[in-house]
Amino acid sequence: MGHRYTRDEVEARLRAVISSGSPIIVAGAGNGLSAKCAELGGIDLIVIYNSGKFRMDGLPSICGLMPYGNANEIVLELGENHVLPAVKKTPVLAGVCGTDPTRNMRKFLVQLREAGFSGVINYPTICRFDGNIRRDFESVGLGFAREVEMIATARDVGLYTTCYIRTPEEGVQMAQAGVDLIVPHVGLTSGGTIGAGAAMSLDDAARATQEIIDAARAVNSEVIALAHGGPMETPEDVAYVLARTTAQGFVGASSIERLPVESAIVGAIRAFKKLTVRSIKRS
């Protein structure tokens, strides 16, 4: 099992990447093999999401936003028994459902730290909900403020803090809470067998990403920002967005552990099926 890093150690690692002129690349890992391969490729951070379990089972990532399992229990189990043992030198973050009213959040965050996690991100996140359902969650005290509080608590117990945000207002709230790194979320990743059937254009993704970054950096000019989601399927897509924003890298889950696996396995099977066998002459 790899080494757990302190908040300051993770921050120093990421600042060194920025200083080198390279993008920070963060990968979701839904199993040990994904984590191991990401580390071999030179990944900067690994994140365990409850959605990774569904994604690597061939189901849409958005299943992670539905009550198909206890999100926090899934992440802890994935981490302790699958991903953390496969990682040697990369900080691993936990996707935490910060609105969970059934557990003592400070106690759970300490448990994650002791299990070997170096940081957290708010996932599943209420910011992915709109309209009446979002209003209902907010009206009963299970809204975005709970996630902001979780991030502040995680920072207090020594974990590196990252967050998904979908609006400039959410960016301001997280920056005020002292979050270390923000990830503007522009929608479910498109492409492949289980990706979103439609997504915004890359230009719209860049515009939305930059608006959120600007709002957060108006509060804290030093906050790190990474792009994520929507039409960003390939390195070329990400390069397009990075060239048009002040994002310092990219968070990929489907685009790193799902889409490449889908194409690689399909391609390998097709190549095997093109092989020929010697005919056997029967006497």
Side-chain angles (χ1 to χ4, degrees):
M1 182 179 293
H3 169 69
R4 192 192 81 79
Y5 295 84
T6 67
R7 177 182 165 271
D8 288 343
E9 287 172 335
V10 178
E11 177 77 6
R13 285 168 65 100
L14 297 187
R15 293 292 175 187
V17 175
I18 294 170
S19 296
S20 74
S22 297
I24 295 168
I25 304 298
V26 180
N31 57 40
L33 182 61
S34 289
K36 185 174 290 189
C37 290
E39 188 168 67
L40 288 171
I43 204 70
D44 296 303
L45 292 176
I46 290 171
V47 185
I48 304 177
Y49 305 97
N50 73 316
S51 58
K53 168 180 168 48
F54 299 108
R55 179 167 48 247
M56 300 313 286
D57 282 343
L59 300 169
S61 299
I62 205 166
C63 287
L65 295 178
M66 295 298 289
Y68 305 148
N70 185 298
N72 288 327
E73 287 182 5
I74 288 171
V75 164
L76 184 59
E77 194 275 333
L78 269 177
E80 289 187 310
N81 299 324
H82 302 276
V83 174
L84 287 166
V87 174
K88 290 183 169 58
K89 61 181 180 180
T90 308
V92 178
L93 311 186
V96 175
C97 181
T99 58
D100 185 349
T102 68
R103 65 180 68 225
N104 180 312
M105 191 51 62
R106 176 176 288 271
K107 189 175 180 180
F108 180 60
L109 292 169
V110 170
Q111 183 182 6
L112 291 172
R113 185 189 68 195
E114 297 307 311
F117 287 95
S118 300
V120 299
I121 191 167
N122 59 324
Y123 192 89
T125 171
I126 207 72
C127 81
R128 296 284 282 117
F129 292 90
D130 286 317
N132 290 339
I133 188 67
R134 175 68 177 268
R135 181 202 65 203
D136 289 346
F137 278 123
E138 297 285 353
S139 71
V140 296
L142 298 177
F144 192 70
R146 290 285 284 266
E147 297 181 19
V148 175
E149 181 182 358
M150 181 274 289
I151 290 296
T153 303
R155 183 183 171 102
D156 190 51
V157 302
L159 291 163
Y160 189 77
T161 55
T162 70
C163 70
Y164 281 124
I165 43 181
R166 210 160 59 88
T167 67
E169 293 76 20
E170 291 166 354
V172 168
Q173 292 177 61
M174 282 294 190
Q176 289 174 337
V179 74
D180 298 299
L181 182 154
I182 62 168
V183 186
H185 197 308
V186 297
L188 185 66
T189 303
S190 56
T193 61
I194 54 175
M200 65 175 67
S201 70
L202 284 169
D203 284 322
D204 286 342
R207 193 158 34 248
T209 297
Q210 190 60 50
E211 286 176 0
I212 296 170
I213 293 173
D214 288 342
R217 287 193 176 145
V219 176
N220 176 10
S221 62
E222 295 301 312
V223 70
I224 295 172
L226 307 180
H228 173 77
M232 288 176 268
E233 300 176 23
T234 66
E236 292 74 24
D237 296 333
V238 175
Y240 187 92
V241 173
L242 294 183
R244 289 159 179 78
T245 67
T246 57
Q248 294 147 300
F250 173 68
V251 176
S254 290
S255 53
I256 287 180
E257 73 166 349
R258 176 176 65 80
L259 293 171
V261 168
E262 288 180 357
S263 60
I265 292 177
V266 170
I269 296 301
R270 288 175 176 168
F272 279 120
K273 289 297 291 181
K274 289 179 181 178
L275 300 177
T276 57
V277 295
R278 294 176 60 186
S279 59
I280 300 175
K281 294 183 178 179
R282 298 183 181 276
S283 57

